[in-house]
Amino acid sequence: MSTREHQQLRDLLRLPQNARCVDCAVLDPKWASFSLGYFMCIECSGIHRMLGTHITKVKSTTLDTWKPEYVEVVRRRGNVSFNAEWEARLPAGKTIDAHTGSAERERFIRAKYERQAFRGTATRDSYARAAAKMGCAVDESGALSPAVSGSDSPTAAAAAAAPRVSPAVARRLAAKKAKEAEERNKKARAAEAAEAAKRAAEAEAKAAAEVAKRAAEAEARAAAETDVGELFGSAPAPAPAPAASGGGGFAVRNRDGAGAGASCHRRLCVRGGRTCCHDGPHL
Ligand SMILES: [Zn+2]
């Protein structure tokens, strides 16, 4: 027998919140309460039937006929939402699992449904515990991630679920990590650029110092040659001539040959085809 309602029930059973029995957390429950809206395993369903329809109404999700409004009840509720309220005050470690004997299983189910001994107000914590019991994780927005497979024990499922993060949280963590990596790269690039600039500045300063040193050496050599030329020259040293006149047989000009200026201290004098260099005040 397969109707649209059965297909809808199969779809609901594929949701992470309904992957396990609402009571013992065994995987792949096939029975459901169409009055309270949860799914359970066949073993727990036998005890639920014993409780009476005034407490809960049970159907097989595959063998029984379902009305659309019954499907709507389990669609609206589901195991995590149900347990967040009906196991809100359940002491830690007091749940049952696949290995629990029938007597203890019945005690637990009667306490939970007949006396409503664990029922309380659903909180964020009770919701998280209910999600862990179903083997799925819940993120900050309350969204549930897919169930953990391969484990039949709710304790193991809870332990496995604890370190898991939902896809949304994983995406946020990945984005955060990527941002941090980008920041680190940015800092590294800035440090590299600063180092390169420092090296370039040092190289430039070194080159400039080298040029200045060579220029000074060349100037010193030229000055020495001038002194030697004047020392051994046949003509007597000329009398100082006014810079602007250029008279006395000497052509006086500044270094670029444009004529002596008032502020120019560097001049060349040309005598007998030989060029020598003097500091301005020496002329
Ligand atoms: Zn069960």
Side-chain angles (χ1 to χ4, degrees):
M1 178 170 56
S2 183
T3 63
R4 200 172 80 176
E5 284 71 39
H6 289 114
Q7 180 57 52
Q8 289 170 339
L9 287 166
R10 280 196 292 275
D11 292 341
L12 289 172
L13 282 165
R14 274 197 283 270
L15 296 176
Q17 59 263 41
N18 299 324
R20 292 171 180 269
C21 170
V22 72
D23 293 329
C24 70
V26 162
L27 280 166
D28 201 24
K30 287 285 189 288
W31 294 73
S33 165
F34 62 92
S35 58
L36 294 177
Y38 53 78
F39 294 93
M40 76 212 98
C41 70
I42 187 167
E43 197 168 349
C44 291
S45 77
I47 301 169
H48 281 245
R49 281 179 181 277
M50 286 163 49
L51 298 177
T53 54
H54 63 292
I55 291 179
T56 183
K57 294 176 180 172
V58 177
K59 274 181 182 292
S60 163
T61 60
T62 56
L63 304 172
D64 293 324
T65 302
W66 282 72
K67 290 180 180 176
E69 56 267 34
Y70 295 163
V71 176
E72 196 54 31
V73 172
V74 282
R75 184 196 306 286
R76 285 174 180 276
R77 200 71 203 249
N79 286 6
V80 170
S81 168
F82 183 83
N83 275 344
E85 181 186 338
W86 285 66
E87 288 188 6
R89 297 191 295 122
L90 178 68
K94 291 294 181 186
T95 189
I96 57 172
D97 62 25
H99 310 293
T100 303
S102 57
E104 194 184 341
R105 187 180 297 256
E106 185 175 343
R107 250 195 319 274
F108 176 86
I109 289 173
R110 286 192 183 279
K112 179 175 174 180
Y113 297 88
E114 276 186 336
R115 301 200 303 278
Q116 300 184 12
F118 317 132
R119 193 173 179 183
T121 305
T123 62
R124 182 181 284 265
D125 279 349
S126 72
Y127 192 80
R129 283 199 305 275
K133 182 170 180 174
M134 291 301 107
C136 54
V138 52
D139 72 11
E140 294 150 358
S141 68
L144 295 161
S145 62
V148 177
S149 60
S151 168
D152 217 18
S153 151
T155 311
R164 277 171 62 85
V165 292
S166 71
V169 171
R171 275 197 299 278
R172 275 198 292 278
L173 285 174
K176 193 180 168 197
K177 277 187 180 176
K179 200 175 171 187
E180 284 170 357
E182 196 184 328
E183 282 295 317
R184 279 198 300 275
N185 283 343
K186 212 168 154 184
K187 279 183 187 169
R189 281 198 299 273
E192 263 176 34
E195 183 63 25
K198 192 181 162 195
R199 279 199 300 271
E202 281 171 359
E204 198 175 326
K206 197 176 169 188
E210 187 66 24
V211 167
K213 188 182 165 196
R214 283 183 190 166
E217 284 170 358
E219 196 170 326
R221 271 200 304 277
E225 281 169 12
T226 301
D227 291 345
V228 170
E230 281 175 356
L231 198 61
F232 295 101
S234 55
S245 75
F250 296 92
V252 179
R253 55 186 172 84
N254 65 5
R255 188 159 281 213
D256 64 5
S263 63
C264 178
H265 298 291
R266 254 356 217 169
R267 297 188 176 107
L268 294 175
C269 64
V270 180
R271 187 178 59 190
R274 191 164 66 90
T275 301
C276 59
C277 179
H278 294 280
D279 281 329
H282 297 162
L283 281 174

